[in-house]
């Protein structure tokens, strides 16, 4: 993004589309999440300001650092994931609305940025010196190894369709001229794979074994309180907005038309419905599911993409 | 609306369910309270798995020598400000265990308690009333 001056870049990271905009929309989407879950369970659900009240309360509460924890890693880990999501928001939105500002390989950069929030959770959980949170961290790591393989297979599909383009701006432009990738068979399979990987990246059921509240008491987040917990929840909220944005950008025609808002809502509601209708996997079942079922589907999608289906 | 801290606590009290040697009756009623039928998420109440996330401790059971250090530890693990709400007749006093060698007395001898909810077990409506009273005292 060489065309932006210093203060414009700062504005992009802090106000729009970075920190403020993304976290606001993300928190509203967590309200949508809770509302849809409530409707599924035939109840009324919380008021719209509920996520903001939660945030305010957590920010004003005491932050406890457990005795014996690695203090710096424990408190800096939430910032890592949070900062990664701010950068992701800027890259994603500029690639959509100003395709000329995106650079070669930003698709790969985004894959790595989306890997940072789980990494932050693993670091924070390991630093907290709690056996249950260590169990959670090991599950998070296993899960990450599981879903990253089909996720990468799925992302190869649009790259093959465009003949080796790894620039997000060009992927968006290619979809505007040649139709969205989800219209082809291989693209549809890849989009479904990415949807399930979103579920796992967000840590929603059926892939919430790292945070399993009933068996390991919130697992990775067990020792977090106050501001640090608020940062983790904010990161999750931003991911709830950015992961569907990424799916729509790469497979479903980009974010430039007004229809994109409906598409985003459709993806988010689909994720929430999967969340509400599935019980939790065991970790070994999840790994098997990702590697041998989704992985095989991913390879099939790649082969189909090579024969232009 | 003087103190944002109080407002946040009133609008999103996350509860942690602390069973200190109860007979399980109150615990079943607490679970009943959290079912969709009463839908306490309307008021922002969420059941959390760790005392570090909690704003309100729902304590059930009569306090005895064995459970006292555990209860105090969980109370110290909870970030402040936090509410303590005793649920059930046992938590309100010593009741039929008053002559036991093992019972060390009511909770407010050891920590500030914001509300006691009597009943054996209390109905979920009574618990909502108790939490509302505890919150409006803030």
């Amino acid at each position: 993004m060489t065309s932006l001056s210093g203060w414009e870049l700062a504005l992009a990271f802090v106000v729009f589309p970075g920190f403020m905009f993304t976290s606001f929309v993300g928190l509203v989407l967590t309200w949508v999440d809770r509302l849809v879950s409530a409707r599924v369970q035939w109840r009324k659900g919380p008021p719209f300001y509920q996520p903001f009240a939660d945030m305010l309360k957590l920010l004003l509460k005491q932050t406890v650092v457990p005795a014996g924890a690695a203090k710096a890693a424990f408190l800096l880990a939430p910032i890592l994931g949070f900062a990664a999501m701010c950068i992701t928001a800027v890259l994603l939105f500029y690639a959509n609305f100003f395709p000329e500002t995106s650079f070669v390989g930003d698709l790969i950069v985004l894959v790595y940025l989306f890997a940072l929030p789980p990494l932050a959770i693993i670091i924070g959980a390991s630093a907290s010196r709690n056996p249950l949170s260590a169990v959670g961290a090991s599950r998070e790591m296993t899960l990450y190894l599981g879903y990253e393989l089909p996720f990468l297979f799925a992302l190869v599909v649009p790259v093959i369709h465009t003949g080796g383009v790894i620039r997000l701006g060009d992927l968006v432009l290619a979809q505007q001229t040649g139709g969205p990738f989800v219209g082809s068979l291989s693209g549809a399979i890849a989009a479904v794979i990415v949807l399930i990987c979103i579920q796992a990246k967000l840590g929603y059921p059926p892939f919430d074994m790292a945070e399993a509240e009933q068996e390991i008491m919130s697992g990775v987040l067990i020792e977090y309180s106050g501001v640090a917990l608020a940062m983790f929840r904010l990161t999750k909220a931003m991911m709830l907005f950015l992961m569907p944005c990424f799916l729509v950008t790469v497979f479903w025609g980009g974010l430039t038309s007004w229809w994109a808002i409906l598409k985003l809502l459709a993806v988010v509601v689909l994720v929430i419905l999967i969340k509400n209708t599935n019980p939790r996997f065991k970790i070994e079942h999840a790994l098997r599911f990702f590697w041998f079922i989704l992985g095989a589907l991913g390879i099939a999608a790649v082969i189909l993409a090579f024969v232009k289906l | 609306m003087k103190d944002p801290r109080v407002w946040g606590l009133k609008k999103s009290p996350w509860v942690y369910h602390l069973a200190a040697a109860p007979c399980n009756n109150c615990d079943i009623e607490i679970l009943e309270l959290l079912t969709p039928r009463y839908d306490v998420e309307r008021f922002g109440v969420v059941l959390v798995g760790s005392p570090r996330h909690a704003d309100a401790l729902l304590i059930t059971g009569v306090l005895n020598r064995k459970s006292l250090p555990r209860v105090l530890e969980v109370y110290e693990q909870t970030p402040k400000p936090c509410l303590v709400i005793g649920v059930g007749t046992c938590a309100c006093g010593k009741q039929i265990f008053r002559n036991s060698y093992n019972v060390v007395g009511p909770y407010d001898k050891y920590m500030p308690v914001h509300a006691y909810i009597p009943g054996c077990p209390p109905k979920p409506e009574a618990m909502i009333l108790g939490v509302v009273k505890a919150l409006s005292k803030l």
Side-chain angles (χ1 to χ4, degrees):
Chain A
M1 278 184 274
T2 44
S3 58
L4 291 178
S5 68
W7 68 270
E8 277 175 327
L9 207 58
L11 209 64
F13 279 114
V14 177
V15 183
F16 183 89
F19 164 56
M20 286 191 184
F21 173 72
T22 314
S23 50
F24 179 78
V25 179
L27 285 177
V28 171
L29 284 180
T30 57
W31 171 69
V32 171
D33 172 5
R34 291 170 76 166
L35 186 74
V36 173
S37 306
R39 288 289 190 269
V40 168
Q41 296 163 4
W42 209 253
R43 56 190 172 88
K44 196 161 170 277
F48 71 95
Y49 58 78
Q50 190 59 55
F52 300 97
D54 289 351
M55 273 302 134
L56 183 73
K57 177 203 70 181
L58 285 176
L59 287 175
L60 293 174
K61 269 202 104 162
Q62 184 190 8
T63 308
V64 183
V65 180
K71 199 169 178 185
F74 184 77
L75 291 177
L76 287 177
I79 298 173
L80 177 66
F82 170 74
M85 283 302 106
C86 291
I87 300 170
T88 309
V90 176
L91 287 182
L92 209 51
F93 275 80
Y94 272 83
N96 271 289
F97 293 100
F98 310 100
E100 70 281 354
T101 58
S102 79
F103 51 89
V104 175
D106 54 0
L107 185 65
I108 299 168
V109 172
L110 279 183
V111 169
Y112 279 104
L113 284 174
F114 278 127
L116 281 181
L119 190 70
I121 286 182
I122 292 169
I123 293 174
S126 313
S128 71
R129 191 176 168 270
N130 185 310
L132 292 177
S133 113
V135 171
S138 106
R139 289 185 184 185
E140 179 84 36
M141 217 178 298
T142 316
L143 190 65
Y144 174 74
L145 291 177
Y147 64 65
E148 207 63 2
L149 181 79
F151 186 63
L152 290 177
F153 276 136
L155 288 188
V156 168
V157 170
V159 175
I160 296 170
H161 271 290
T162 48
V165 169
I166 48 171
R167 234 186 83 172
L168 216 51
D170 288 345
L171 282 178
V172 173
L173 292 178
Q175 290 185 85
Q176 278 165 359
T177 53
F181 297 122
V182 81
S184 66
L185 179 61
S186 56
I189 296 175
V192 169
I193 294 173
V194 171
L195 184 74
I196 298 173
C197 290
I198 288 178
Q199 196 85 17
K201 273 186 193 276
L202 285 170
Y204 278 176
F207 305 113
D208 65 334
M209 56 291 271
E211 277 178 45
E213 282 195 354
Q214 295 84 359
E215 46 175 322
I216 51 173
M217 301 171 72
S218 316
V220 283
L221 297 181
I222 184 168
E223 289 290 352
Y224 275 101
S225 60
V227 181
L229 182 64
M231 294 283 271
F232 268 129
R233 289 181 65 94
L234 195 60
T235 309
K236 248 254 152 114
M238 291 165 95
M239 280 173 85
L240 184 61
F241 174 49
L242 292 175
M243 297 294 307
C245 273
F246 181 68
L247 176 64
V248 172
T249 306
V250 178
F251 290 101
W252 206 357
L255 300 171
T256 39
S257 76
W258 290 104
W259 286 110
I261 298 175
L262 278 182
K263 290 177 187 173
L264 277 177
L265 269 180
V267 173
V268 170
V269 169
L270 198 58
V271 165
I272 296 166
L273 287 180
I274 297 174
K275 169 189 168 184
N276 272 295
T277 47
N278 283 285
R280 189 183 305 133
F281 271 126
K282 276 184 182 176
I283 185 68
E284 63 264 34
H285 293 174
L287 190 66
R288 211 179 298 158
F289 172 74
F290 276 117
W291 276 7
F292 299 122
I293 298 177
L294 281 194
L297 261 181
I299 293 173
V302 169
I303 293 169
L304 284 174
F306 267 118
V307 297
K308 302 264 177 257
L309 264 173
Chain B
M1 226 53 63
K2 288 136 286 189
D3 191 354
R5 187 182 297 203
V6 171
W7 185 82
L9 203 60
K10 275 185 180 177
K11 291 299 171 187
S12 88
W14 292 354
V15 298
Y16 179 74
H17 173 198
L18 176 57
C23 70
N24 244 329
N25 208 346
C26 295
D27 306 80
I28 293 169
E29 287 304 307
I30 287 176
L31 294 184
E32 171 80 27
L33 170 70
L34 299 163
T35 51
R37 181 185 171 105
Y38 296 98
D39 188 21
V40 283
E41 203 186 357
R42 281 177 298 162
F43 315 118
V45 176
V46 178
L47 182 71
V48 292
S50 159
R52 293 262 193 248
H53 306 178
D55 307 300
L57 297 176
L58 296 182
I59 307 187
T60 55
V62 67
L63 199 59
N64 56 45
R65 280 182 213 283
K66 283 287 182 191
S67 66
L68 175 64
R70 276 86 178 173
V71 168
L72 284 179
E73 193 176 344
V74 172
Y75 177 71
E76 276 155 18
Q77 280 174 349
T78 312
K80 308 294 175 301
C82 85
L83 295 173
V84 179
I85 297 161
V87 177
T89 307
C90 290
C92 294
K94 300 179 191 177
Q95 299 311 321
I96 58 169
F97 306 106
R98 63 186 174 278
N99 293 327
S100 167
Y101 69 97
N102 197 20
V103 169
V104 290
Y107 286 91
D108 48 20
K109 248 162 93 180
Y110 305 96
M111 60 179 95
V113 178
H114 296 81
Y116 282 116
I117 303 168
C120 186
K123 292 181 85 169
E125 289 92 335
M127 291 187 205
I128 295 176
L129 184 66
V131 174
V132 167
K133 280 189 174 167
L135 286 175
S136 51
K137 240 179 18 183
L138 288 175

